Amino acid sequence: MNLLPVAIVLVLAQSGGTSFDSRADADAPPEHRERLDACVGHLESLALKKAEACYASFYKDLPSSPLADEALYDLALARERQGNRDGALTTRTTLVDGYPRSPLAPQTKLDVAEARVSEGDLLAAAELFTSYARRYPRAPRASEQLERAAII
């Protein structure tokens, strides 16, 4: 039994990276997973500039890969950890807009809304909270986001 995917899940969970998505992995060509794993290695070792370049290259070359959303998620994380909040926000918006069915999209949309709140762009935040509740009505926090939008 190959324990590498399990080890990746545990390390990513501890490092704040993406979770292992077996559905996407099952659909992804092995060379895509290998390439993304190289990026994960940079992120885990805190080689953030290398991680950023690796994820950006992955996404540029393979935007239709089943792992493209994961690459964007971690690209945003690498940018944020380097203090590039604008770059992280742009990347998260690309993920939400380009991959709305991704399992990473709901939380990422909330992250974008929270960033808008912290920037003081309350109108954009309210629109995002409302959009979240409409797009993901069965999400555990959907009604909470509608309430937040109403308060703003």
Side-chain angles (χ1 to χ4, degrees), residues 6-51:
V6 174
I8 292 170
V9 172
L10 293 174
V11 170
L12 287 173
Q14 292 171 353
S15 69
T18 57
S19 61
F20 190 78
D21 182 8
S22 59
R23 181 185 49 78
D25 260 350
D27 296 341
E31 59 272 14
H32 292 200
R33 172 47 62 196
E34 290 169 13
R35 188 167 169 191
L36 194 64
D37 285 347
C39 301
V40 170
H42 295 308
L43 188 62
E44 289 173 355
S45 67
L46 301 178
L48 299 176
K49 288 195 181 299
K50 284 184 180 180

Side-chain angles (χ1 to χ4, degrees), residues 47-67:
L48 299 176
K49 288 195 181 299
K50 284 184 180 180
E52 179 180 12
C54 188
Y55 287 120
S57 175
F58 182 98
Y59 178 69
K60 180 182 175 215
D61 296 346
L62 302 167
S64 60
S65 170
L67 303 173

Side-chain angles (χ1 to χ4, degrees), residues 36-139:
L36 194 64
D37 285 347
C39 301
V40 170
H42 295 308
L43 188 62
E44 289 173 355
S45 67
L46 301 178
L48 299 176
K49 288 195 181 299
K50 284 184 180 180
E52 179 180 12
C54 188
Y55 287 120
S57 175
F58 182 98
Y59 178 69
K60 180 182 175 215
D61 296 346
L62 302 167
S64 60
S65 170
L67 303 173
D69 60 334
E70 185 176 336
L72 284 172
Y73 186 90
D74 282 349
L75 175 58
L77 185 61
R79 288 178 170 165
E80 186 172 68
R81 287 182 177 175
Q82 292 178 82
N84 182 355
R85 293 184 69 193
D86 291 339
L89 183 59
T90 299
T91 303
R92 287 185 174 113
T93 301
T94 300
L95 190 161
V96 169
D97 292 346
Y99 305 90
R101 295 176 193 250
S102 164
L104 299 169
Q107 182 58 51
T108 303
K109 187 169 216 143
L110 288 180
D111 293 344
V112 171
E114 292 294 343
R116 296 295 186 204
V117 168
S118 68
E119 292 173 348
D121 190 350
L122 300 182
L123 181 59
E127 289 171 358
L128 286 163
F129 288 133
T130 301
S131 171
Y132 172 89
R134 288 187 180 143
R135 174 77 173 119
Y136 311 107
R138 292 189 178 100

